[in-house]
């Protein structure tokens, strides 16, 4: 029915289907590309760092790679799937953020969640965001997650988006951040050099 597009490294759902798929449905999409990006992202984690992870399937993969790396750090997150992974680590201290429960996204959200996140000053916030484009910046369909993303972009010392290449050149339901509000975007190796240059000209570094 034309709902899935084959791409190098996997498959992705067409818009708007991608935007309405729940957490479990998105876990299987572009899983190899997400893992490639996540492996690169953990290179930016230092020993003893306080790391913030928001909800999203890419950050769940990042949590898996973080747990496997053996790095000693503390992770604060509202991502229940990431919590399940990190609780099995012997080297990572985990802080679970409470609030309203979003069963579709397997996360907490809302004013209590944002207030608890707001107490921390992470060394790095790794943000899982749905889409990025030169025209609209960072956009997402998870309206209940947007407050968390916006807050972490202000409280973290470093803000790093972790997104696979299928999310480039796409606009989702609502704008959440400007390109310049993110220090670095970590992705897989399927983004052309000319695309990277165009984003660099707008103030966003991509690796």
């Amino acid at each position: 029915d034309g709902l899935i597009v084959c791409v190098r490294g996997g498959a992705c759902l067409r818009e708007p289907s991608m935007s309405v798929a729940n957490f479990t449905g998105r876990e299987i999409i572009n899983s190899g590309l997400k893992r490639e990006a996540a492996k690169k992202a953990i290179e930016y984690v230092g020993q003893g760092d306080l790391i913030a992870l928001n909800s999203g399937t890419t950050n769940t993969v990042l949590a898996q790679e973080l747990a496997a790396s053996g790095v000693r750090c503390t992770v604060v997150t509202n991502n229940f799937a990431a919590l399940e992974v990190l609780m099995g680590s012997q080297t990572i201290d985990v802080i679970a953020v409470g609030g309203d429960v979003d069963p579709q996204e397997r996360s907490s959200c809302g004013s209590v969640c944002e207030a608890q996140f707001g107490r921390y000053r992470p060394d790095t916030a790794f943000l899982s965001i749905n889409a990025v484009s030169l025209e609209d910046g960072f956009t997402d369909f998870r309206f209940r997650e947007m407050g968390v993303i916006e807050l972490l972009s202000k409280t973290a010392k470093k803000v790093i988006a972790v997104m696979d290449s299928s999310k480039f050149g796409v606009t989702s339901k609502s704008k959440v951040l400007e390109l310049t509000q993110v220090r670095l975007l970590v992705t897989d190796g399927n983004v052309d050099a000319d695309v990277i240059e165009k984003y660099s000209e707008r103030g966003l570094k991509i690796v």
Side-chain angles (χ1 to χ4, degrees):
D1 294 328
L3 296 179
I4 294 180
V5 183
C6 291
V7 297
R8 180 183 172 191
C12 63
L13 293 173
R14 293 185 186 275
E15 286 281 345
S17 300
M18 181 174 64
S19 294
V20 299
N22 63 19
F23 184 98
T24 303
R26 298 196 313 274
E27 277 189 302
I28 63 173
I29 304 301
N30 293 326
S31 57
L33 300 181
K34 291 174 182 177
R35 191 162 301 279
E36 182 181 344
K39 285 179 180 292
K40 291 167 67 174
I42 63 171
E43 296 176 7
Y44 296 91
V45 178
Q47 296 288 342
D49 277 359
L50 173 61
I51 302 300
L53 303 179
N54 73 311
S55 72
T57 57
T58 303
N59 267 351
T60 302
V61 177
L62 193 154
Q64 295 168 358
E65 294 299 325
L66 195 58
S69 72
V71 65
R72 292 191 175 276
C73 64
T74 300
V75 175
V76 55
T77 185
N78 65 330
N79 184 329
F80 298 161
L83 285 169
E84 291 177 9
V85 172
L86 295 171
M87 284 190 298
S89 170
Q90 300 298 311
T91 60
I92 298 174
D93 293 327
V94 184
I95 301 171
V97 175
D100 298 334
V101 173
D102 185 339
Q104 293 295 316
E105 290 301 318
R106 298 181 65 186
S107 66
S108 58
C109 57
S111 59
V112 172
C113 174
E114 292 168 26
Q116 290 188 15
F117 254 134
R119 294 166 54 190
Y120 301 97
R121 298 296 180 266
D123 293 291
T124 304
F126 290 102
L127 300 180
S128 179
I129 308 177
N130 185 241
V132 63
S133 71
L134 290 168
E135 297 77 17
D136 296 306
F138 292 94
T139 55
D140 211 300
F141 65 92
R142 300 168 300 163
F143 298 115
R144 301 176 76 185
E145 181 69 11
M146 289 180 183
V148 170
I149 294 172
E150 291 170 349
L151 185 147
L152 291 177
S153 74
K154 297 173 182 176
T155 58
K157 296 175 184 176
K158 290 184 294 185
V159 180
I160 299 178
V162 187
M163 306 168 67
D164 70 73
S165 54
S166 72
K167 298 178 180 179
F168 280 71
V170 178
T171 297
S172 193
K173 302 302 183 186
S174 181
K175 186 163 186 172
V176 62
L177 293 177
E178 301 285 354
L179 294 177
T180 53
Q181 289 180 272
V182 172
R183 175 182 292 192
L184 181 68
L185 195 165
V186 179
T187 188
D188 56 80
N190 292 342
V191 181
D192 292 339
D194 62 331
V195 173
I196 293 174
E197 179 62 27
K198 288 177 181 178
Y199 280 94
S200 178
E201 292 171 355
R202 300 288 187 90
L204 177 62
K205 181 180 179 181
I206 298 174
V207 296

